[in-house]
Amino acid sequence: MPDNGKITASAVSGWVAEQRPLIIELEKLLTSVPALAPESGGGGELGKCEALEHKLRSLGFTLFERFDAPDSRVPSGIRPNLVVTVPGRNDGVRLWIMSHLDVVPPGDLSRWETDPWTAVEKDGCIYGRGVEDNQQGLVSSVIAALYFIRNGVMPEYTLKLLFMADEENGSVFGMQYLLKEFRRDPIFRKGDFIIIPDGGDPLGETVEVAEKNIFWLNVKVQGKQAHGSRPDLGINAHHAGCDLALRLHALEKKFSARNPLFEPDYSTFQATKKTGNVPNINTIPGEDFFCMDCRVLPEYRLDEVRAAVKAVAAEIEKAYGVTVSFSEEQAVESLAVSPDAPVVRLVSSAVERVLGRKCRPVGIGGGTVAAYLRNEGYDAVVWSIMDETAHQPNEYSRIDNIVSEASVLAAAACLC
């Protein structure tokens, strides 16, 4: 068995570079099996998970575990979470690389230059829905793990690949399920290295160690419907809703702290989706519905935000004679990982060893499964090399990025 200390970055990178045909093959396979959540009109991730497992077995992987979350909304009744293991020299600490199986809908098909469900290779990139989010991380983790199988090398510690369900809609049937269902006998161990290749920058120079708290609200304003010519007989819920949205947006001034880890470096309160009021012009709406997407710096707790939102709602109710109610679509508070944590040093060392670049810790406004892990005391970081085309028409992934990413992940497994 080769000595990991004698494995060079150039040897790893050279082997990974030779896997470009397999990288393209995997991307095409995964894209061809849509994995949409029921919230998006899909049947879940089972077909994609089974196609992936079949392919991995053909490549030589042998250790598989499935942790299926029940979900009656999908035809199979389950949302699969797949773990693939490559044994290491020491199982006391494991290196986890986590990616998700589900994708978002393609959106307006007229804005796509190719079929979103048929991955197309062009000019050094692969185009298709999900090829970057999160199939790039999925494929790079597979190639990194395959290095050890094909070259007869044991990683320093046991390598665990986790392919999760439901990341795009809150991870209730993915990471949240794994943490809650196995709380007494945890799948993860404190001290494990956890890398999530689901966000990054084009050079791989940032390690995400913190996320803003996510607070999504569905807002209902109840007034009194009337004819458009007789506003005096009604209470215009839309007027009150507009004012409410603007006052909630103004909470950015109340929660005014700045944190240079993040971009933007302040908390954001944004009115987003408009979900309805009346179908015709000549009716004073008695109800108004909209959504707020709030990304709050971790300096604040969400209970502080809830209290401020309620206070604003009370002002609107008094000013307009309406009733305001809220429901929370998502409410996720996130602890941060120390910039000096071992997993941060591991990723930084691997990036420097393979790419010759320095990494810096950052925070993001988006949400990843790292937040759930950090809140349970696990040091999880998000790192990738990507152009960030997720959720866009003509989503793409650069093949060179996948090669570099897989090389770094393989090197991390040698170093940890």
Side-chain angles (χ1 to χ4, degrees):
M1 188 70 65
D3 181 356
N4 287 359
K6 296 178 182 177
I7 297 173
T8 65
S10 60
V12 173
S13 298
W15 183 89
V16 171
E18 295 173 354
Q19 310 311 308
R20 292 173 75 93
L22 178 57
I23 287 170
I24 296 167
E25 180 186 349
L26 286 169
E27 282 277 28
K28 288 184 175 181
L29 170 66
L30 296 167
T31 305
S32 70
V33 189
L36 294 169
E39 291 91 336
S40 300
E45 305 85 356
L46 182 59
K48 188 171 182 176
C49 182
E50 290 178 337
L52 174 63
E53 181 174 343
H54 178 77
K55 182 61 179 178
L56 294 183
R57 288 186 184 278
S58 75
L59 292 173
F61 292 90
T62 59
L63 300 176
F64 296 82
E65 296 174 278
R66 277 264 298 275
F67 303 94
D68 295 338
D71 186 355
S72 61
R73 301 172 302 163
V74 297
S76 66
I78 59 170
R79 308 291 291 279
N81 298 281
L82 176 65
V83 176
V84 181
T85 300
V86 178
R89 296 172 185 270
N90 185 337
D91 191 55
V93 176
R94 289 88 55 85
L95 171 61
W96 290 86
I97 305 176
M98 303 179 176
S99 53
H100 61 86
L101 294 162
D102 58 321
V103 300
V104 297
D108 184 356
L109 293 178
S110 68
R111 298 180 63 192
W112 283 82
E113 297 176 4
T114 62
D115 175 6
W117 304 119
T118 302
V120 174
E121 180 192 358
K122 178 183 175 183
D123 299 329
C125 298
I126 303 172
Y127 292 83
R129 176 53 85 221
V131 293
E132 187 184 70
D133 183 22
N134 188 215
Q135 289 167 200
Q136 175 174 317
L138 190 161
V139 170
S140 65
S141 70
V142 168
I143 298 299
L146 189 61
Y147 170 82
F148 297 97
I149 292 174
R150 291 286 175 85
N151 291 279
V153 178
M154 264 195 170
E156 192 62 31
Y157 290 96
T158 294
L159 180 57
K160 296 271 192 178
L161 307 186
L162 170 59
F163 308 110
M164 300 168 288
D166 196 33
E167 190 274 347
E168 297 290 359
N169 288 276
S171 295
V172 172
F173 302 94
M175 182 54 69
Q176 290 199 67
Y177 172 79
L178 295 175
L179 290 169
K180 292 176 181 178
E181 187 71 12
F182 301 96
R183 189 173 297 278
R184 291 187 177 180
D185 185 18
I187 296 172
F188 317 113
R189 299 174 187 165
K190 301 295 171 66
D192 282 354
F193 296 100
I194 301 175
I195 302 173
I196 302 165
D198 193 20
D201 66 273
L203 296 177
E205 294 179 334
T206 55
V207 182
E208 186 259 282
V209 299
E211 296 176 11
K212 291 181 180 178
N213 300 323
I214 296 178
F215 192 50
W216 289 0
L217 288 175
N218 294 309
V219 184
K220 177 182 178 181
V221 181
Q222 182 71 53
K224 182 180 179 183
Q225 185 171 312
H227 193 280
S229 67
R230 294 299 307 270
D232 55 310
L233 299 179
I235 300 175
N236 194 317
H238 187 34
H239 287 174
C242 290
D243 193 1
L244 175 59
L246 290 172
R247 294 195 197 192
L248 290 175
H249 170 57
L251 289 177
E252 291 183 1
K253 297 178 181 178
K254 176 180 178 64
F255 296 93
S256 59
R258 301 275 176 154
N259 187 326
L261 273 180
F262 295 93
E263 190 175 306
D265 64 355
Y266 53 89
S267 299
T268 58
F269 292 75
Q270 296 289 312
T272 55
K273 184 178 180 181
K274 179 69 177 169
T275 52
N277 48 31
V278 291
N280 54 301
I281 293 177
N282 61 335
T283 294
I284 301 296
E287 293 181 328
D288 195 57
F289 303 87
F290 65 95
C291 300
M292 295 291 299
D293 183 341
C294 310
R295 311 285 174 136
V296 184
L297 289 176
E299 283 83 347
Y300 300 107
R301 296 295 87 196
L302 288 185
D303 279 345
E304 299 176 69
V305 177
R306 291 185 179 98
V309 167
K310 288 180 180 178
V312 170
E315 294 172 359
I316 292 294
E317 289 177 331
K318 182 177 180 180
Y320 291 89
V322 297
T323 301
V324 177
S325 57
F326 303 95
S327 64
E328 296 180 7
E329 188 76 16
Q330 274 202 74
V332 182
E333 291 185 320
S334 180
L335 300 175
V337 173
S338 167
D340 295 321
V343 68
V344 179
R345 296 198 301 268
L346 173 66
V347 172
S348 299
S349 296
V351 169
E352 186 168 6
R353 180 177 176 181
V354 174
L355 304 177
R357 299 170 188 156
K358 297 286 188 181
C359 279
R360 68 184 188 280
V362 298
I364 64 169
T368 72
V369 297
Y372 304 110
L373 287 157
R374 291 168 187 160
N375 289 348
E376 295 294 328
Y378 301 102
D379 283 350
V381 298
V382 179
W383 173 86
S384 185
I385 307 170
M386 57 174 55
D387 288 2
E388 296 282 11
T389 63
H391 297 210
Q392 299 177 27
N394 304 308
E395 177 184 353
Y396 68 84
S397 174
R398 294 188 185 277
I399 300 172
D400 284 346
N401 287 350
I402 303 176
V403 169
S404 296
E405 187 171 301
S407 300
V408 169
L409 294 175
C414 298
L415 289 169
C416 60

